[in-house]
Amino acid sequence: LSEASFTGDVNVYNKPDPQIYRSLIRECTSLRKEGEFSTCFTELQRNFLKDRPAKLKNLIRLVKHWYQLCKEKLGEPLPPQYALELLTVYAWERGSGVTEFDTARGFRTVLELITKYKQLQIHWTVYYDFQDQEISNYLLSRLTRVRPVILDPADPTRNVVGSNSEGWWRLAGEATVWLQYPCIKNWDTSRVRSWDVPVRTYHRLVPLHTHLVTPSVSRIFRQRCPGL
């Protein structure tokens, strides 16, 4: 796999041929190198973020600045910054989704999600989804592994949270402290309300033994993964 696997114009609304992901999954699982081919998908990763509203990009910058402050204070280890960028996108998608929103609410929501890191199970279906049986099988196996799980929207074999749980624990502690700061409180010192954002994404899954034109997959997902 290489950058040459993608030809023509690619944007956030286009899915690559599922064969690309089937080949990726087979290669990664056979070599035990999940996530190590993510550089092949940098264009998709970039496009996933570039067409977002300006205010969301500003919120991402705020979260990245906060992350750098934490890094200066705490040092290593910390979770990868990219994981926080995706977590910010997820918080906005599920909690707001509009171009104009209260930045303080968005920031507070991201901090709260960080404190719940042990419950995070997040993925997107922008570039790959559950319609292909082989990909669906693999995604199910990825999503049932130890949390936190934030799958790279462009590479289903890559869990962007990293492998150091201590880093998340340390960052969650700092997020808890920041949740008490005046910058995310109202003028009367009351708490800014966060968005109502679930810690897990739910998507309808195609049953692996049938082919449906309109799959009723919420029920199937509950049957296959009752603990999720």
Side-chain angles (χ1 to χ4, degrees), residues 15-213:
K15 278 184 167 66
D17 189 324
Q19 180 57 42
I20 293 173
Y21 287 114
R22 287 195 294 268
S23 299
L24 172 72
I25 289 167
R26 292 169 190 167
E27 187 80 3
C28 288
T29 52
S30 65
L31 298 177
R32 296 185 179 181
K33 291 187 175 182
E34 290 174 303
E36 295 192 20
F37 292 97
S38 63
T39 54
C40 298
F41 300 92
T42 52
E43 185 177 2
L44 294 179
Q45 292 162 348
R46 185 167 53 248
N47 286 340
F48 182 77
L49 295 173
K50 79 173 185 180
D51 292 330
R52 302 293 180 167
K55 197 159 188 178
L56 173 58
K57 291 180 179 179
N58 287 337
L59 178 58
I60 293 173
R61 292 188 189 100
L62 175 61
V63 172
K64 289 166 67 174
H65 177 68
W66 173 79
Y67 176 84
Q68 291 304 318
L69 293 177
C70 294
K71 196 170 184 179
E72 292 173 7
K73 177 181 177 180
L74 303 175
E76 299 289 352
L78 286 179
Q81 181 177 278
Y82 184 49
L84 299 192
E85 294 180 43
L86 292 180
L87 191 61
T88 304
V89 171
Y90 172 75
W92 173 80
E93 286 180 339
R94 295 304 174 110
S96 174
V98 296
T99 56
E100 294 297 324
F101 57 86
D102 185 344
T103 299
R105 290 190 70 184
F107 186 46
R108 183 177 190 91
T109 303
V110 174
L111 294 182
E112 289 184 355
L113 287 173
I114 291 171
T115 66
K116 301 173 183 176
Y117 71 94
K118 290 183 179 180
Q119 305 173 56
L120 295 178
Q121 183 199 77
I122 298 169
H123 67 286
W124 287 265
T125 54
V126 176
Y127 299 125
Y128 54 82
D129 55 34
F130 294 92
Q131 301 303 311
D132 180 89
Q133 179 173 316
E134 185 174 349
I135 297 172
S136 180
N137 280 338
Y138 180 78
L139 288 175
L140 280 171
S141 72
R142 289 294 288 173
L143 292 171
T144 53
R145 297 184 190 180
V146 176
R147 297 167 190 162
V149 174
I150 304 177
L151 294 187
D152 188 326
D155 178 2
T157 71
R158 181 189 180 200
N159 184 6
V160 302
V161 302
S163 58
N164 195 315
S165 59
E166 181 187 354
W168 281 96
W169 176 79
R170 298 170 78 228
L171 194 66
E174 193 65 12
T176 301
V177 173
W178 273 73
L179 285 169
Q180 306 305 317
Y181 280 10
C183 62
I184 48 177
K185 290 186 177 182
N186 295 312
W187 64 269
D188 60 357
T189 72
S190 63
R191 188 179 72 176
V192 170
R193 290 179 55 198
S194 58
W195 294 324
D196 184 16
V197 176
V199 293
R200 286 170 273 180
T201 47
Y202 294 92
H203 285 285
R204 296 184 173 182
L205 309 188
V206 177
L208 305 185
H209 60 284
T210 59
H211 297 279
L212 300 179
V213 175

